[in-house]
Amino acid sequence: AGTTAKQAIATLRTSEGTNVASHIISLTGRFGQDQPQEWEILARQGQEYALYIVDGKAVQSFSKVRPKTKTPVKLAMNAIKIDSSSAFRIADKEAKKISVGFESLSYDLKPRRDSSAPVWIVSLADSRGSTVGQIHIASDSGGILRTNWDRVQLNRPALRNAPSTGATRGILADRRGSTQTGTAADGI
């Protein structure tokens, strides 16, 4: 039982005010089962940028940072209809379809280059922390924009017939190859 992205944003808004919450550039949550315990929220604060570490109850830390891009785009908050809890259900369903097991998920919510709705990038990891798949989900509709699955996972006979009750736990993978679906038009 972790913290959803919406809970983290609400906590930031309560602690720091609506001005900071309306200038969010990205959200990152790592090692969720199904939701992470805390979120990293990058926001513009005047002419500077701040990184907040937020759980469901309080802002745990704050630091000034330099973003990776020169002019980061803020998230279109009104276009975010799908929370991280819904992103989990979508990712879990997709993994079950192809019998890929995972132990934890990491979430990134980022703006798209074409300035439409932000996108959830959900990375699924095995018990060693190796990525076994990644799903890009539109935050406005829940539509899947792109998937990228570890080819070794897909070719394992045991996985093709694995039971799909919840997130299949403890299946290991190595990173010799991957397969990807999607289009360059998804703008990520």
Side-chain angles (χ1 to χ4, degrees):
T3 300
T4 68
K6 281 188 179 179
Q7 290 170 328
I9 292 168
T11 300
L12 179 66
R13 184 177 289 121
T14 300
S15 174
E16 303 297 319
T18 56
N19 190 36
V20 170
S22 65
H23 288 89
I24 295 174
I25 295 166
S26 68
L27 282 94
T28 301
R30 292 185 176 77
F31 308 114
Q33 293 181 340
D34 64 68
Q35 296 299 302
Q37 295 299 314
E38 60 188 23
W39 290 85
E40 296 174 5
I41 302 177
L42 178 63
R44 186 174 188 126
Q45 192 178 46
Q47 296 300 317
E48 299 178 323
Y49 297 89
L51 181 66
Y52 298 90
I53 307 298
V54 181
D55 64 18
K57 297 178 178 97
V59 173
Q60 298 298 319
S61 68
F62 158 84
S63 59
K64 299 213 186 251
V65 296
R66 290 186 183 185
K68 292 179 183 177
T69 60
K70 285 191 178 208
T71 55
V73 178
K74 72 178 186 170
L75 293 175
M77 299 303 284
N78 60 346
I80 302 170
K81 309 288 186 235
I82 303 298
D83 190 21
S84 56
S85 58
S86 295
F88 166 77
R89 287 189 292 279
I90 293 166
D92 188 47
K93 182 179 176 183
E94 287 300 303
K96 284 178 183 178
K97 276 187 197 176
I98 60 171
S99 299
V100 169
F102 60 94
E103 180 71 24
S104 66
L105 299 93
S106 293
Y107 301 87
D108 285 301
L109 182 62
K110 298 184 177 202
R112 293 177 66 187
R113 289 185 197 135
D114 64 6
S115 10
S116 61
V119 64
W120 282 108
I121 303 169
V122 183
S123 300
L124 294 77
D126 64 19
S127 61
R128 294 185 305 185
S130 298
T131 301
V132 296
Q134 191 176 72
I135 301 169
H136 296 227
I137 303 167
S139 69
D140 60 346
S141 67
I144 296 170
L145 303 172
R146 179 170 44 176
T147 60
N148 184 2
W149 299 103
D150 185 301
R151 212 174 320 151
V152 174
Q153 284 271 7
L154 294 175
N155 292 327
R156 289 188 178 179
L159 293 178
R160 284 193 292 252
N161 300 318
S164 58
T165 56
T168 308
R169 303 217 179 263
I171 298 173
L172 303 178
D174 59 27
R175 308 257 312 146
R176 286 183 284 212
S178 65
T179 183
Q180 184 172 334
T181 61
T183 65
D186 64 18
I188 313 249

